[in-house]
């Protein structure tokens, strides 16, 4: 019996891994990339469809698991797909953490800075790390990653980190992207790719209400969808999260972003601004070389926690699970 089971298990494992490999392919010939909502059924898991596109004459979906908030790319033919409006999708999946998180982010939409979900539940002993990659000519601040890997190698492997990536950063940092993918493929880190807009425009003089994505003439389709397409071209799977450049938005803009099915992520601990990380914090640092102060503070924090990390008393949390817990608590 065992003799038969072994090869069978191996075949099952190979089939289980095929979608993962496909998810990490580089999509170099994307056509007709569009917002598409619906329900994708493939027993035993239901997925929500966020996008649909073609690549080399095959049809693909960007899917989100409404229970775990994890996303993946897969071929449309693997699913029974029912197209729905966004409103219908939100009603059908209203009791899932994903839809609850969207609603919760919308509730925190009035402030000009730091809208969306800006922290997790305090019962978590540790933090969720987000590093922003705004456009920059400087190389990626690799210390963040090498330090995390050396601190967590015995307790948390891969270590989770969310990278908020802008289109212009990706265009100028191919070597850094390859380096990150190597760490990912070696199982050292698990990266959640957060959309940080394409152009990330910023003015030194404009008031906040006309700055960043609130600058007049901003085209949100370009800012959101072109960033996702560039992620896919680079072999990165877009998550269901969005980080506003400068953390600046207004209520209308928050709803524009949730209309793409994306959850805005703020921060209650922007380290370079002197905000301190608490248990459950969504920590913000910049990984683009422009904010060495924040990176220094983060590395200091890691070193101060060395003993707790070794005892698994202080961990890095996946952004998806932090947002999911927070949505379930309905705070
Ligand atoms: Zn930024």
């Amino acid at each position: 019996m065992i003799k038969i089971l072994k090869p069978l298990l191996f075949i099952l494992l190979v089939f289980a891994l095929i979608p993962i490999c496909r998810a990490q392919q580089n999509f170099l010939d994307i056509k007709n990339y569009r917002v598409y909502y619906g329900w994708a059924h493939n027993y035993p898991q239901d997925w929500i469809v966020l996008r649909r596109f073609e690549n080399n004459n095959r049809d693909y979906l960007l899917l989100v698991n409404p229970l775990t908030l994890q996303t993946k790319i897969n071929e449309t033919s693997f699913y029974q797909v029912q197209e729905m409006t966004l409103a219908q999708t939100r009603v059908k999946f209203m009791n899932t953490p994903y839809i609850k998180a969207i609603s919760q982010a919308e509730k925190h939409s009035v402030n000009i800075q730091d809208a969306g979900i800006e922290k997790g539940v305090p019962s978590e002993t540790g933090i969720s790390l987000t590093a922003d990659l705004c456009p920059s000519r400087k190389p990626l601040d690799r210390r963040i990653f090498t330090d995390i890997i050396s601190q967590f190698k015995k307790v948390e492997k891969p270590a989770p980190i969310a990278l908020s990536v802008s289109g212009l950063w990706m265009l100028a940092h191919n070597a850094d992207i390859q380096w990150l993918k190597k760490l990912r493929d070696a199982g050292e880190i698990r990266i959640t790719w957060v959309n940080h807009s394409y152009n990330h425009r910023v003015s030194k003089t404009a008031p906040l209400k006309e700055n960043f994505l609130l600058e007049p003439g901003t085209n949100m389709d370009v800012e959101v969808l072109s960033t996702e397409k560039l992620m896919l071209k680079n072999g990165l799977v877009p998550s269901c999260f969005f980080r506003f450049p400068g953390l600046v938005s207004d209520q209308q803009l928050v709803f524009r972003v949730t209309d793409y099915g994306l959850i805005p992520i703020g921060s209650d601990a922007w380290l370079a601004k002197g905000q301190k990380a608490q248990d459950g914090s969504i920590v913000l640092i910049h990984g683009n070389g422009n904010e060495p102060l924040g990176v220094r503070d983060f590395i200091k924090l890691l070193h101060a926690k060395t003993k707790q990390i070794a005892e698994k008393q202080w961990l890095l949390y996946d952004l998806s699970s932090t947002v999911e817990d927070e949505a379930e608590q309905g705070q």
Side-chain angles (χ1 to χ4, degrees), residues 277-296:
Q278 319 278 342
D279 279 338
S281 275
I282 295 178
V283 169
L284 165 59
I285 57 175
H286 281 77
N288 63 351
N290 280 353
E291 204 189 59
L293 202 68
V295 174
R296 193 200 64 192

Side-chain angles (χ1 to χ4, degrees), residues 86-267:
L86 175 60
Q88 288 166 338
T89 309
R90 287 185 65 157
V91 170
K92 178 168 172 58
F93 292 95
M94 64 189 281
N95 289 321
T96 63
Y98 168 68
I99 298 298
K100 283 183 190 170
I102 287 191
S103 305
Q104 204 180 331
E106 288 171 344
K107 274 187 220 151
H108 297 154
S109 60
V110 183
N111 290 355
I112 190 102
Q113 268 198 297
D114 215 13
I117 292 177
E118 93 292 346
K119 61 177 174 50
V121 290
S123 57
E124 287 180 345
T125 48
I127 56 147
S128 256
L129 179 66
T130 62
D132 288 3
L133 299 172
C134 330
S136 164
R137 285 195 203 92
K138 295 185 184 134
L140 177 76
D141 207 329
R142 297 189 180 187
R143 285 177 303 164
I144 303 166
F145 304 90
T146 49
D147 250 61
I148 287 176
I149 291 167
S150 71
Q151 287 268 352
F152 285 92
K153 65 178 176 235
K154 290 206 180 92
V155 281
E156 211 180 0
K157 200 177 166 193
I161 175 167
L163 296 180
S164 322
V165 69
S166 57
L168 294 185
W169 187 89
M170 278 188 274
L171 285 182
H173 290 84
N174 190 41
D176 286 326
I177 294 174
Q178 300 313 321
W179 185 76
L180 288 168
K181 283 167 72 174
K182 249 188 217 154
L183 295 183
R184 177 196 69 184
D185 295 342
E188 302 279 7
I189 51 172
R190 185 170 62 243
I191 307 174
T192 301
W193 294 98
V194 178
N195 192 326
H196 194 37
S197 84
Y198 195 87
N199 292 298
H200 196 296
R201 289 194 294 172
V202 54
S203 154
K204 283 205 167 84
T205 51
L208 285 187
K209 63 179 173 31
E210 289 170 11
N211 211 331
F212 297 102
L213 288 180
L214 297 175
E215 208 175 284
T218 296
N219 180 335
M220 283 304 282
D221 269 354
V222 169
E223 299 299 342
V224 174
L225 302 180
S226 297
T227 309
E228 292 177 355
K229 277 193 276 185
L230 196 50
M231 285 185 199
L232 291 167
K233 196 175 164 189
N234 280 294
L236 317 174
V237 180
S239 70
C240 61
F241 303 117
F242 188 89
R243 167 152 281 151
F244 289 114
L247 295 183
V248 168
S249 59
D250 63 9
Q251 194 166 32
Q252 208 185 353
L253 187 62
V254 168
F255 281 80
R256 282 283 284 139
V257 166
T258 55
D259 274 354
Y260 287 99
L262 301 180
I263 303 163
I265 298 296
S267 167

Side-chain angles (χ1 to χ4, degrees), residues 56 120 235:
N56 285 338

